[in-house]
Amino acid sequence: MAPSAVPQNQYTIFTRGQKRLLTFILSLTTLASPLTATIYLPLLPLLAAHFQTSTQAINLTITLYIIFQAISPAIFATLSDSLGRRPIYLITYTVYVLASLGLALNKSSYAALLVLRAMQSIGASAVLAVAYGVVADVCVPAERGKMLGPVLSATNLGVCVGPLIGGWVALWSKGYEWVFWSLMIYGGVALMTVGWALPETGRNIVGNGSVPASGWGRTWLSIFKVWGTKRTTTGQDQYGQGEVDGLEYLDAGKKGSPYNVASMFACLRIIFWRDTALVLWLSGSFYAVYYCIQTSIPSTYKDIYTFNEFQIGLSYLTGGVSVVFGGYVNGKMMDRNYKVTAKNIGFTVDKVHGDDLNDFPIERARARGSCYLLGIHICALIGYGWTIEAHVHESVPLILQFVLGFICTCFNQTFNALLVDIFPASPSTAAASGNITRCALAALTVAVMQPLVNVMGRGWYFTTLGILSGAGGVAAIWALQLHGMKWRAQRLSKSTKLCSHDISGEEEHSSTAAIEEKPDSTRLPSPPVDAVKQIQEAEKDCQV
């Protein structure tokens, strides 16, 4: 390809076929966290008996999993914005496979069960946040729903089939080991798929895809194709499909700003901005509601409807099907809402270079139609509680589970996408902040559920939950649509001012130091490399 043919101003050069491949790989890899969390649930009695410990002690492994489910994205998703997406996938899936192997081999140590379960969570929990970064890398805002829909549908599929697979494998094998062997096999397949076929998409590494990847950023397939051949001065693209003649890319192989401890807390700083706090609430609160419903299913259907273990597993299917269906439909609706909003304000959608969201009310576009869903959510959640309380036929709460799963998925998916939209420079870091919020709210809701149900009953508990989530949702949507764009502009303006001051200070200091080192020089030298790196890091931090 000639230099003039490289579309440097195009948002992405990834083709439709390559995006389909990315969608498949992301769908495969994001199964890890929900599948690993839910496949474990039918094993609890087996594990308690095998390790000769209490049910409460085994439940501690679930609590530990949720804790690291929040911590892992804070570390690795943020790191992926600096080092690239592909190395993080390789690292986390290697950890996941080794932890699953250790769990399958562990026969007697409860302490090892705790440690290995935590490692399994570390390996599995970062991939979804990194996936949001990949989508932001290769899709303009107007088309992100098209890729997010199938990816999140696959993620929700893990919630649906996890308990069934865990129960069936445990019943078939008469033990827990083969459940972990199954997870190790799945992790190995995912790791090989990533290694051979997942290209680097990080925009600080490969730009819009026109910069050849190097090192860990190259797929094993491209390395295999050139194995044993003499390297030339021309660039080999990351797919091994051809060369880019005569081009010298200054940023090829650049790993972004150095990672430090402060970077890990970038996702925490996001929580305290006014606009992002509302987005995080809308995403996290509905996730917590759905998690609460999922947690209540075993006791509800066993105590009230006298379901056996297999029937309880089947009762998860209605909610599981709804989140898969909701993820697909909502992806289409997100893109439609974007186009309708753009048309209403006379905004021209640029699918080639991407839209400048500084001039577009992305908050209004993403939240379009949310109030209608919110009304249905409140009615369905209150109805769910009272139908169970009144011992209505089991088909009614099962249908309401489908409705609630669909709506909660729509809210979670839509506002997670909005979070990525308003932090374009660090999408995985933004997604990690969403993960922390979701896990914190879910853990709190589940922790207080049983004590409150014992005091209030299921009817009043879910009524209270519906009113709180509904009122909070209405207030957040109203404020976001009315003030979201203004607050976003104020946040960016404040960050830019603070960062400009820091950068100008770095430039002045580094330039002065360079002049003092060479007083006889007749021209001003370039700033030292270390200073340049500090400035680049400061510029990136401005986005957070």
Side-chain angles (χ1 to χ4, degrees):
M1 183 184 298
S4 60
V6 179
Q8 297 292 343
N9 295 325
Q10 188 173 322
Y11 185 84
T12 180
I13 66 167
F14 284 85
T15 65
R16 183 175 298 179
Q18 290 166 347
K19 289 180 181 179
R20 288 198 187 103
L21 174 64
L22 285 172
T23 301
F24 169 76
I25 296 175
L26 294 181
S27 300
L28 175 66
T29 55
T30 52
L31 271 173
S33 184
L35 180 64
T36 308
T38 57
I39 202 174
Y40 188 77
L41 297 178
L43 305 181
L44 300 182
L46 286 173
L47 293 171
H50 181 84
F51 290 99
Q52 299 180 349
T53 187
S54 66
T55 301
Q56 184 178 357
I58 294 298
N59 286 343
L60 181 60
T61 63
I62 299 177
T63 304
L64 199 64
Y65 188 93
I66 295 175
I67 290 173
F68 282 94
Q69 200 173 28
I71 294 174
S72 180
I75 299 172
F76 289 107
T78 305
L79 193 59
S80 77
D81 285 331
S82 297
L83 297 184
R85 317 299 181 197
R86 181 177 160 80
I88 301 306
Y89 271 111
L90 293 173
I91 292 171
T92 53
Y93 258 96
T94 299
V95 172
Y96 178 79
V97 170
L98 293 176
S100 300
L101 175 62
L103 286 165
L105 296 175
N106 180 35
K107 301 295 184 183
S108 58
S109 175
Y110 171 73
L113 178 66
L114 286 172
V115 172
L116 291 170
R117 188 65 177 161
M119 286 182 60
Q120 203 176 35
S121 180
I122 290 172
S125 301
V127 292
L128 180 57
V130 180
Y132 274 102
V134 174
V135 173
D137 291 336
V138 302
C139 292
V140 295
E143 296 183 336
R144 286 175 186 169
K146 188 184 299 181
M147 181 176 284
L148 280 175
V151 171
L152 293 180
S153 294
T155 302
N156 295 328
L157 182 64
V159 178
C160 174
V161 303
L164 292 177
I165 295 175
W168 181 80
V169 173
L171 183 65
W172 167 76
S173 64
K174 307 298 182 182
Y176 67 89
E177 294 90 345
W178 266 103
V179 172
F180 295 125
W181 282 118
S182 301
L183 291 176
M184 191 206 74
I185 293 170
Y186 154 74
V189 171
L191 179 61
M192 291 297 104
T193 303
V194 168
W196 281 98
L198 179 68
E200 179 57 65
T201 64
R203 298 184 71 84
N204 65 316
I205 307 295
V206 297
N208 65 352
S210 59
V211 179
S214 61
W216 284 35
R218 299 179 62 194
T219 63
W220 297 345
L221 180 61
S222 68
I223 295 174
F224 179 78
K225 284 185 176 182
V226 298
W227 189 264
T229 62
K230 185 177 180 180
R231 297 296 302 272
T232 66
T233 56
T234 57
Q236 173 71 33
D237 69 24
Q238 56 188 310
Y239 301 100
Q241 295 174 335
E243 297 177 344
V244 183
D245 297 328
L247 289 180
E248 182 179 354
Y249 292 100
L250 298 178
D251 292 333
K254 185 179 73 174
K255 298 302 180 185
S257 58
Y259 186 75
N260 51 47
V261 176
S263 300
M264 187 175 67
F265 295 100
C267 55
L268 297 179
R269 295 201 300 269
I270 291 175
I271 298 174
F272 298 100
W273 294 105
R274 284 182 294 183
D275 59 329
T276 53
L278 297 175
V279 177
L280 290 168
W281 165 257
L282 286 166
S283 171
S285 61
F286 288 92
Y287 176 86
V289 168
Y290 185 70
Y291 208 99
C292 188
I293 294 170
Q294 294 292 93
T295 305
S296 71
I297 285 176
S299 60
T300 295
Y301 287 98
K302 184 173 184 179
D303 297 342
I304 296 178
Y305 297 106
T306 63
F307 279 18
N308 59 35
E309 283 71 15
F310 182 69
Q311 290 173 321
I312 290 173
L314 290 175
S315 67
Y316 280 93
L317 282 176
T318 56
V321 171
S322 72
V323 295
V324 174
F325 179 66
Y328 177 78
V329 172
N330 190 62
K332 301 288 186 182
M333 291 302 299
M334 283 171 57
D335 289 346
R336 182 178 183 276
N337 287 339
Y338 188 100
K339 293 173 183 176
V340 170
T341 303
K343 182 179 179 181
N344 290 341
I345 64 174
F347 186 89
T348 302
V349 177
D350 188 349
K351 295 184 178 180
V352 177
H353 304 96
D355 298 324
D356 183 3
L357 297 184
N358 291 329
D359 302 321
F360 182 78
I362 186 65
E363 295 85 358
R364 195 193 314 168
R366 296 302 188 208
R368 184 176 180 271
S370 295
C371 288
Y372 300 107
L373 291 176
L374 198 56
I376 299 173
H377 164 81
I378 296 172
C379 295
L381 189 56
I382 294 175
Y384 177 76
W386 287 109
T387 53
I388 295 172
E389 187 76 20
H391 295 199
V392 177
H393 190 270
E394 59 265 24
S395 62
V396 178
L398 287 172
I399 292 172
L400 290 174
Q401 280 176 216
F402 180 92
V403 175
L404 289 166
F406 180 91
I407 294 174
C408 290
T409 299
C410 290
F411 273 95
N412 187 34
Q413 178 176 332
T414 298
F415 290 100
N416 272 331
L418 176 57
L419 192 62
V420 171
D421 291 330
I422 61 180
F423 285 93
S426 51
S428 289
T429 300
S433 71
N435 192 80
I436 291 173
T437 307
R438 290 196 306 273
C439 290
L441 290 174
L444 177 63
T445 306
V446 171
V448 303
M449 180 183 67
Q450 196 57 49
L452 290 178
V453 166
N454 293 338
V455 174
M456 304 169 64
R458 289 180 173 87
W460 282 113
Y461 173 76
F462 283 106
T463 297
T464 304
L465 191 62
I467 293 173
L468 290 176
S469 62
V474 168
I477 291 171
W478 175 80
L480 200 60
Q481 289 184 320
L482 191 63
H483 302 291
M485 187 174 180
K486 179 181 69 176
W487 287 344
R488 171 162 52 99
Q490 291 173 351
R491 168 171 57 83
L492 293 174
S493 176
K494 184 176 180 180
S495 297
T496 302
K497 287 179 181 178
L498 290 174
C499 206
S500 297
H501 179 269
D502 293 340
I503 292 173
S504 61
E506 292 284 354
E507 290 175 338
E508 181 179 356
H509 173 75
S510 57
S511 298
T512 302
I515 293 173
E516 289 176 353
E517 288 178 4
K518 294 186 177 182
D520 296 332
S521 177
T522 58
R523 62 183 181 91
L524 186 66
S526 300
V529 174
D530 291 341
V532 173
K533 289 183 178 180
Q534 293 173 3
I535 293 169
Q536 291 172 344
E537 181 179 0
E539 288 174 338
K540 181 180 177 182
D541 289 341
C542 284
Q543 301 296 327
V544 180

